[in-house]
């Protein structure tokens, strides 16, 4: 008769429980953000593209109008909280310095843009994103600059892993340029979705060359702002907040946020911004791959 070792069974149970993956709050928030994105896209595809449905069901008009306020603001807040919880759990309050830097520089440049048209061109925000700082820039805008800047920076760190840089300057230059391109590429679908197809901000009428209703100068402004932010990240060593797992999580976070404008433009039949974004990503990946072979 075989004797059952109760101590061994107990140890095995404890070991299985310890190896079981724990759902962290930042993972839950990331999943929640994806759900909100899907609901926003479906709402846009259903009612914004078919206003006759609102006329057929007038009781949905109020709900539809409030949904623009609710989902847009909630999506940004949850995205920020997801990254904040990730950083706070591992690094306590050390990330606040990086957040403050991005908040300050993006707020200043957004204020210049909404006031004088520098460096993005002249535009103004509607009330959909809530309270505005200095009556110009919604408080949620610098917050979104922060979490998408970190995510873009993580993509550059990941691409640079297999590249043998000769010195720290070349490595920093690579991180700054690649991260700036990825942050700017987010706007290649964001602006057509949020200013052309939906009214979150409005561009001043202009006769200059434009990209789906957005002046081309806007993207130079984005790259300039991104360049300043990424340079700051290198100087204040934002990489200290990131381990390999954090980098992968942030890359997923980037594409989760990208899914919202992509979904809106796709359902609108506006495929070009998506193709252009894919081309930019492919070029950056190919460039990094070539450098890694040298």
């Amino acid at each position: 008769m075989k004797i059952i070792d109760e101590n061994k069974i107990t140890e095995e149970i404890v070991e299985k429980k310890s190896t079981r993956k724990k759902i962290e709050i930042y993972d839950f928030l990331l999943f929640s953000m994806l759900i909100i994105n899907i609901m926003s896209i479906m709402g846009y595809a259903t009612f914004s593209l078919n206003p006759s449905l609102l006329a057929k069901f007038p009781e949905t008009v109020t709900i539809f109008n409030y949904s623009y306020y609710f989902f847009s603001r909630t999506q940004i807040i949850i995205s920020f909280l997801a990254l904040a919880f990730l950083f706070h759990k591992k690094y306590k309050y050390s990330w606040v310095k990086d957040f403050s830097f991005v908040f300050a520089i993006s707020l200043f440049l957004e204020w210049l843009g909404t006031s004088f048209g520098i460096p993005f061109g002249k535009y103004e925000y509607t009330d959909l994103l809530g309270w505005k700082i200095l009556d110009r820039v919604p408080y949620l805008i610098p917050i979104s600059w922060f979490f998408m800047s970190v995510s873009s920076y993580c993509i550059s760190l990941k691409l640079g892993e297999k590249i043998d840089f000769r010195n720290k300057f070349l490595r920093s230059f690579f991180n700054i340029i690649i991260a700036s391109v990825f942050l700017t590429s987010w706007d290649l679908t964001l602006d057509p979705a949020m200013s052309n197809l939906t009214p979150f901000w409005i561009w001043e009428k202009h006769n200059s060359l434009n990209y789906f209703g957005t002046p081309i100068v806007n993207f130079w402004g984005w790259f300039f702002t991104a360049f300043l932010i990424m340079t700051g990240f290198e100087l204040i060593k934002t990489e200290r907040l990131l381990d390999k797992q954090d980098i992968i999580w942030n890359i997923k976070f980037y594409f989760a946020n990208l899914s919202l404008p992509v979904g809106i433009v796709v359902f609108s039949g506006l495929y070009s911004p998506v193709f252009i974004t894919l081309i930019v990503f492919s070029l950056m990946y190919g460039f990094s791959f070539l450098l890694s072979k040298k």
Side-chain angles (χ1 to χ4, degrees):
M1 184 175 182
K2 189 176 181 179
I3 300 175
I4 298 175
D5 189 342
E6 294 183 359
N7 291 332
K8 186 176 181 181
I9 293 175
T10 303
E11 289 176 1
E12 289 177 354
I13 293 174
V14 172
E15 184 179 353
K16 286 181 179 179
K17 286 183 177 181
S18 63
T19 57
R20 189 178 300 166
K21 183 174 176 58
K22 180 183 177 182
I23 299 177
E24 300 289 353
I25 187 169
Y26 46 82
D27 290 323
F28 173 76
L29 289 170
L30 177 58
F31 177 75
S32 300
M33 182 262 284
L34 276 171
I35 296 299
I36 290 174
N37 286 354
I38 292 171
M39 293 177 66
S40 299
I41 293 168
M42 292 299 101
Y44 174 81
T46 303
F47 294 106
S48 293
L49 297 181
N50 301 282
S52 58
L53 291 176
L54 294 173
K56 189 175 180 180
F57 304 101
E59 64 276 5
T60 62
V61 174
T62 302
I63 298 174
F64 177 74
N65 289 336
Y66 276 111
S67 68
Y68 260 101
Y69 291 88
F70 176 78
F71 285 110
S72 58
R73 300 177 192 184
T74 304
Q75 195 270 350
I76 295 175
I77 292 171
I78 289 181
S79 295
F80 170 71
L81 288 176
L83 186 60
F85 274 110
L86 172 70
F87 281 167
H88 184 76
K89 179 178 179 180
K90 296 185 176 182
Y91 313 105
K92 298 305 177 185
Y93 295 98
S94 60
W95 63 276
V96 175
K97 175 178 66 175
D98 308 76
F99 169 71
S100 301
F101 163 71
V102 177
F103 192 97
I105 195 168
S106 59
L107 173 61
F108 176 67
L109 291 173
E110 288 276 0
W111 177 80
L112 284 178
T114 52
S115 300
F116 307 105
I118 301 170
F120 309 102
K122 194 70 167 63
Y123 60 101
E124 64 176 350
Y125 286 99
T126 64
D127 294 329
L128 290 176
L129 292 176
W131 174 70
K132 299 176 184 177
I133 301 173
L134 302 175
D135 201 33
R136 290 286 183 181
V137 184
Y139 72 98
L140 293 174
I141 292 299
I143 290 175
S144 63
W145 273 101
F146 170 68
F147 60 69
M148 290 306 288
S149 294
V150 172
S151 301
S152 300
Y153 187 64
C154 284
I155 297 177
S156 70
L157 294 175
K158 186 63 178 177
L159 290 179
E161 280 183 356
K162 295 182 179 181
I163 301 175
D164 184 19
F165 295 103
R166 296 180 180 179
N167 54 58
K168 290 183 178 180
F169 174 80
L170 288 177
R171 183 179 185 277
S172 293
F173 185 73
F174 175 88
N175 289 338
I176 291 169
I177 296 300
I178 299 299
S180 297
V181 170
F182 280 121
L183 182 55
T184 303
S185 68
W186 177 47
D187 195 50
L188 291 173
T189 51
L190 183 71
D191 238 293
M194 302 304 170
S195 65
N196 185 14
L197 300 175
T198 56
F200 287 93
W201 55 87
I202 301 170
W203 290 97
E204 187 177 81
K205 291 183 179 180
H206 51 82
N207 297 319
S208 59
L209 186 65
N210 70 85
Y211 171 88
F212 304 104
T214 301
I216 295 297
V217 68
N218 168 68
F219 300 103
W220 291 110
W222 264 76
F223 186 82
F224 172 73
T225 305
F227 186 88
L228 293 180
I229 291 172
M230 302 310 166
T231 301
F233 279 173
E234 284 293 308
L235 293 175
I236 63 180
K237 301 186 184 305
T238 296
E239 190 175 353
R240 77 190 187 283
L241 298 176
L242 303 160
D243 57 29
K244 288 187 176 182
Q245 184 179 353
D246 297 334
I247 290 174
I248 297 299
W249 187 92
N250 269 280
I251 292 173
K252 294 177 182 177
F253 179 87
Y254 177 98
F255 286 103
N257 271 283
L258 183 62
S259 67
L260 177 60
V262 165
I264 290 175
V265 298
V266 166
F267 273 99
S268 298
L270 195 64
Y271 303 111
S272 297
V274 179
F275 289 134
I276 293 170
T277 301
L278 288 174
I279 290 171
V280 171
F281 272 90
S282 299
L283 289 174
M284 292 300 99
Y285 181 83
F287 173 69
S288 303
F289 180 77
L290 290 174
L291 287 179
S292 67
K293 291 295 182 180
K294 292 183 178 180

